[in-house]
Amino acid sequence: MKNDYALITGASSGIGLESARYIAGKGINLILTARREDILANISSEISEKYNVHVDYFPCDLGEVDAPIKIYNYCELKNYEVNLLVNNAGYGIPTSFHKTSIEEEEKFIRVLGTSVIVLTKSFLPKMIERGYGRIMIVSSVAAFSPPSSIQPLYGPIKTFMNRFSDSININYNHKGITSTAVCPGFTITGFHTASGVQDEMDRVPSFMKLSAKRVASEGVEATLLGKPLSIPSKTYKILVFILNHIPVSILSFLGKILAPGRYDKK
């Protein structure tokens, strides 16, 4: 079996799990990471059996400072050639900024931001040596929106991740490396329940909700093709165009209609 692997963070559910299945369907081996070892073990067996690829897993919590390096060292120990890195892990903090502790905010930034940078930086040199590498960063349409009253750091961190993805392309495209920022809108996963904002998600119009499978398939395809940006669905492509071209005051008004609760004062 070819020593060609995709590493996927946050692979136990949602977009991460659907990305794993889609990538395996292309005959690419997998290394899956998430916090729950039992879930990872079951998923790995299921995907390996169905798609006839090698699937390994490494349980870890990306909120821990040394987690990304542990993941990298594990792949090095196993001699896995990671040519596709899917930075997907994420969650949200539902409480107001002034009510959360510094420790909570730092962990949040590590999972959504710092871990992406460390993993990319770790795997990049070998990708450069091989002259090929694909990096997928699961961002969000929130990167283009005004920061909201719930999860106030979420949008700004995703904006940062988009710019980080751009910087990888600017500096390494000529070496065969591309990075794709995948920016879905409201996606039906366990994210909103886990983040304490399921009520707000339930109030979003159904035409604005995407399936994790669609986001994953469009995102992975864009990544393999080396596209810098993937915005799944025409609805969100139009929305992002609007977000980039109209005043913030109008954006906030539209946000209260299309994303009830997101811009309510708390």
Side-chain angles (χ1 to χ4, degrees):
M1 190 173 290
K2 193 168 64 169
N3 191 29
D4 183 22
Y5 282 81
L7 170 65
I8 305 171
T9 68
S12 61
S13 63
I15 296 170
L17 175 56
E18 293 300 338
S19 294
R21 288 170 174 158
Y22 191 82
I23 293 167
K26 291 182 173 293
I28 300 172
N29 303 313
L30 304 175
I31 309 119
L32 309 180
T33 76
R35 290 178 297 174
R36 292 279 302 276
E37 183 170 4
D38 55 339
I39 295 176
L40 285 174
N42 290 335
I43 290 170
S44 297
S45 296
E46 171 212 318
I47 293 177
S48 180
E49 190 173 314
K50 182 174 181 179
Y51 297 102
N52 194 31
V53 295
H54 181 242
V55 184
D56 199 354
Y57 62 90
F58 185 78
C60 72
D61 182 354
L62 286 173
E64 297 175 0
V65 175
D66 58 352
I69 295 301
K70 286 182 177 179
I71 294 170
Y72 174 75
N73 288 341
Y74 181 78
C75 293
E76 284 291 286
L77 180 66
K78 294 282 190 167
N79 197 34
Y80 295 146
E81 289 188 3
V82 176
N83 292 311
L84 172 56
L85 172 61
V86 179
N87 293 292
N88 166 74
Y91 66 103
I93 300 176
T95 51
S96 298
F97 181 69
H98 68 282
K99 294 180 180 178
T100 55
S101 67
I102 292 296
E103 290 75 20
E104 286 179 287
E105 302 292 6
E106 287 180 341
K107 181 177 180 180
F108 183 68
I109 292 169
R110 280 197 293 272
V111 174
L112 274 73
T114 310
S115 70
V116 176
I117 295 169
V118 176
L119 284 169
T120 301
K121 191 176 185 69
S122 298
F123 285 103
L124 195 57
K126 291 288 183 69
M127 290 180 175
I128 293 171
E129 284 181 15
R130 293 190 290 268
Y132 178 86
R134 294 291 179 266
I135 299 161
M136 174 171 156
I137 299 175
V138 179
S139 182
S140 171
V141 165
F144 305 98
S145 308
S148 70
S149 58
I150 59 172
Q151 302 179 353
L153 280 183
Y154 186 82
I157 291 174
K158 292 303 187 182
T159 302
F160 173 31
M161 287 296 97
N162 280 18
R163 299 292 75 78
F164 173 66
S165 185
D166 290 341
S167 74
I168 294 298
N169 286 319
I170 289 170
N171 287 285
Y172 298 104
N173 273 185
H174 68 288
K175 294 183 180 294
I177 316 298
T178 63
S179 180
T180 303
V182 179
C183 298
F186 293 104
T187 307
I188 302 170
T189 67
F191 173 90
H192 298 90
T193 299
S195 301
V197 292
Q198 188 59 50
D199 181 59
E200 286 80 4
M201 178 62 167
D202 291 341
R203 293 158 64 191
V204 172
S206 59
F207 75 91
M208 294 189 68
K209 296 178 182 179
L210 303 174
S211 70
K213 187 173 183 178
R214 176 172 185 176
V215 172
S217 61
E218 291 193 25
V220 171
E221 280 298 326
T223 301
L224 293 176
L225 290 172
K227 295 182 178 180
L229 182 66
S230 171
I231 302 172
S233 85
K234 289 183 179 178
T235 298
Y236 281 104
K237 285 182 174 67
I238 293 170
L239 180 58
V240 168
F241 177 83
I242 293 171
L243 290 171
N244 285 327
H245 290 87
I246 65 175
V248 172
S249 58
I250 298 177
L251 292 181
S252 297
F253 173 75
L254 289 175
K256 290 176 181 178
I257 297 173
L258 298 175
R262 184 173 174 81
Y263 296 97
D264 295 346
K265 292 183 179 178
K266 292 195 173 186

